[in-house]
Amino acid sequence: MAAKLLQAHGFIIVARNERGDSLYLALQGQDATLRLSSHARRPRQRRTHPEVVTSLVVATPKRGRQLSAMIAAAQRDYAARTTKGPVQEERPFAE
């Protein structure tokens, strides 16, 4: 259900792991992915898959409202991590 809701928001499935318990979704034209899974990533997975900018973990059954809130949060995280803001000029510390 979460994958269908994400797809309704413009995400497309770009990959799935061998076991089929994780989906990787992205918006059109983005290399960054959102990981949808039933479990959290391990440190090694974080190192070997830097394209994953956020994860949505649905470990237990959720009601519609709960799932919608989780998806909204994941979308905000994805947008924040894929949108480049203005370049901030580094300033020296005042003494």
Side-chain angles (χ1 to χ4, degrees):
M1 184 174 176
K4 288 181 183 181
L5 291 171
L6 284 164
Q7 289 174 315
H9 289 283
F11 283 86
I12 54 173
I13 296 172
V14 295
R16 99 181 40 235
N17 71 349
E18 299 86 32
R19 292 183 309 270
D21 59 356
S22 296
L23 296 176
Y24 298 86
L25 301 101
L27 291 175
Q28 186 77 27
Q30 291 284 344
D31 292 330
T33 60
L34 181 154
R35 178 179 173 269
L36 171 61
S37 186
S38 61
H39 60 279
R41 293 193 302 161
R42 294 186 188 113
R44 180 174 179 218
Q45 291 170 309
R46 287 189 179 91
R47 283 192 311 273
T48 59
H49 293 286
E51 73 281 2
V52 176
V53 295
T54 193
S55 292
L56 173 57
V57 177
V58 184
T60 59
K62 303 291 180 206
R63 293 177 187 239
R65 276 195 208 159
Q66 292 171 314
L67 192 54
S68 292
M70 292 172 71
I71 288 172
Q75 286 181 286
R76 284 191 302 274
D77 289 346
Y78 183 89
R81 292 182 176 135
T82 58
T83 304
K84 294 185 180 176
V87 177
Q88 300 259 334
E89 192 173 304
E90 205 172 311
R91 296 182 179 162
F93 292 109
E95 292 184 29

